Amino acid sequence: MKATLRYLAGMAGPSGYGSNSTAEQVTEDCFLSSHLTALITGGTSGIGAETARVLAKRGVRVVIGARDLKKAREVRHNIQKETPKAEIIVLEIDLSSFASVQRFCSEFLALQLPLNILINNAGIFSQNLEFSEEKIELTFATNYLGHFLLTEMLIEKMIETAEKSGIEGRIINVSSVIHSWVKRDAFHFHHLLNGTKYNGTRAYAQSKLANILHVKELARQLKARNAKVTVNAVHPGIVKTGIIRAHKGLITDSLFFIASKLLKSTSQGAATTCYVAVSAKTQGLSGKYFADCNEGNCSSLANDEFEAQKLWNNTQALIHKRLRQASS
């Protein structure tokens, strides 16, 4: 109840920021090293585009991974109108396709750029059951599996960049509070792949739970390697984005109007991602869950180390099997 009241009132938490804080506000006092490079998926609209805009404004080189290159170029144009010196690189990626993720990583690594910040932001919501080209339920394939493979293929570059620069690398998985709706007995890997008894909201929640479990296990592994890279999950808040619009058909217009008054703006929604990505206050923090620019609590299932390791092992086995099949 206290957290809800704090959210509605926009009260600041221990970080000095709260639900009303914007991405520009939380990065105002960040003295960033020059030549930082951030890679953002889903940077063509909503909080992804706002994250790209604000980081570019703070002098970060931004690589936008996007399915729609036309939209990505429009975002780049708009950012450079505001910040003429901004360096924005646009590369094509379809996160639902393992082959596309592989191509993207090859193209990015060929640029021989450092990689300081990886923001796994892209996400879809689908009311109807759809499948990726690998015949995997589309929401899980896009929101979780694609980002898992992307991170796996770029993690060595991040560790190398951190070692050479002395600057901590940061990975951010954009999750959602809706992850807490998932019950333990409903979270089965093979059902997630097949879309068993499909429900769009449940599939979205399950993918967001998987994003947090990915953070938990990757944080453990990075700590064991003594790598100077952190990984955290963020809940951006309920933001006026395309995903919310996709839900609109499920509720009445009047209820949507009332609910929309409680939604965050895009600039507020991007605040937690930007805060975790560049703030000195998050230095050294890893395996955490942030909401409203403050460390928060995720569900007990999301905190389960055994579930995190089991999901990691199942995911790796699946992806490597599919990649072997594709190359044979």
Side-chain angles (χ1 to χ4, degrees):
M1 188 59 156
K2 278 184 181 178
T4 303
L5 291 173
R6 191 161 54 243
Y7 171 83
L8 293 173
M11 292 167 59
S15 70
Y17 303 111
S19 61
N20 285 347
S21 301
T22 66
E24 286 203 26
Q25 288 170 345
V26 303
T27 57
E28 266 175 347
D29 299 327
C30 295
F31 301 101
L32 304 182
S33 168
S34 58
H35 310 303
L36 286 183
T37 300
L39 195 164
I40 305 171
T41 65
T44 56
S45 63
I47 62 176
E50 177 67 0
T51 300
R53 182 189 75 82
V54 171
L55 292 183
K57 187 171 185 174
R58 302 301 178 220
V60 177
R61 178 196 289 120
V62 175
V63 180
I64 296 175
R67 224 172 12 171
D68 188 331
L69 287 181
K70 184 182 175 188
K71 278 188 180 178
R73 291 182 186 117
E74 287 172 4
V75 169
R76 177 172 63 188
H77 174 73
N78 291 334
I79 290 173
Q80 290 176 332
K81 264 202 311 188
E82 179 187 3
T83 309
K85 291 183 179 179
E87 187 177 353
I88 311 291
I89 298 166
V90 170
L91 295 174
E92 185 176 12
I93 187 171
D94 176 356
L95 283 154
S96 73
S97 162
F98 295 158
S100 177
V101 174
Q102 283 185 301
R103 278 194 303 273
F104 172 88
C105 290
S106 295
E107 289 175 12
F108 172 76
L109 293 171
L111 297 174
Q112 297 188 315
L113 295 172
L115 183 56
N116 307 95
I117 301 165
L118 173 60
I119 299 174
N120 291 320
N121 165 79
I124 64 163
F125 168 85
S126 179
Q127 290 185 29
N128 303 311
L129 176 60
E130 298 177 73
F131 290 94
S132 70
E133 63 184 40
E134 280 94 7
K135 308 299 183 215
I136 297 169
E137 190 279 307
L138 193 63
T139 304
F140 193 65
T142 304
N143 296 1
Y144 169 66
L145 292 174
H147 283 127
F148 183 99
L149 178 58
L150 178 71
T151 305
E152 183 174 82
M153 294 190 71
L154 296 178
I155 192 66
E156 296 306 322
K157 168 59 75 173
M158 293 201 71
I159 292 171
E160 174 194 303
T161 298
E163 286 176 352
K164 286 183 177 178
S165 66
I167 300 168
E168 179 181 270
R170 298 188 182 184
I171 302 169
I172 294 100
N173 279 4
V174 178
S175 182
S176 171
V177 70
I178 201 175
H179 80 272
S180 61
W181 295 8
V182 182
K183 304 301 181 189
R184 189 177 295 271
D185 60 5
F187 194 69
H188 300 289
F189 189 70
H190 294 293
H191 291 176
L192 300 174
L193 301 181
N194 301 329
T196 305
K197 296 180 181 177
Y198 186 79
N199 171 280
T201 301
R202 183 172 61 228
Y204 183 75
Q206 289 169 332
S207 73
K208 293 292 136 183
L209 170 61
N211 289 147
I212 302 176
L213 290 169
H214 179 208
V215 161
K216 298 293 183 178
E217 176 59 14
L218 182 55
R220 186 190 68 78
Q221 294 185 18
L222 289 168
K223 184 179 179 183
R225 291 182 63 177
N226 203 26
K228 197 176 180 180
V229 176
T230 63
V231 54
N232 291 289
V234 302
H235 164 53
I238 311 302
V239 186
K240 300 167 191 174
T241 67
I243 285 177
I244 288 296
R245 285 192 292 275
H247 281 80
K248 187 178 175 182
L250 303 178
I251 56 178
T252 65
D253 286 346
S254 57
L255 185 58
F256 182 84
F257 175 79
I258 294 166
S260 71
K261 299 305 173 186
L262 303 177
L263 300 181
K264 285 187 176 186
S265 68
T266 304
S267 59
Q268 291 168 337
T272 305
T273 300
C274 288
Y275 173 75
V276 176
V278 299
S279 175
K281 295 175 183 176
T282 58
Q283 180 85 18
L285 295 179
S286 195
K288 307 297 185 184
Y289 173 80
F290 288 83
D292 299 329
C293 302
N294 287 276
E295 198 176 323
N297 298 313
C298 52
S299 70
S300 60
L301 181 54
N303 264 323
D304 189 315
E305 289 183 13
F306 174 75
E307 284 292 339
Q309 289 183 16
K310 185 169 72 170
L311 178 63
W312 180 283
N313 293 337
N314 283 333
T315 303
Q316 271 208 325
L318 170 78
I319 290 177
H320 292 169
K321 179 183 177 183
R322 296 297 177 92
L323 293 180
R324 281 196 303 274
Q325 289 173 343
S327 62
S328 60

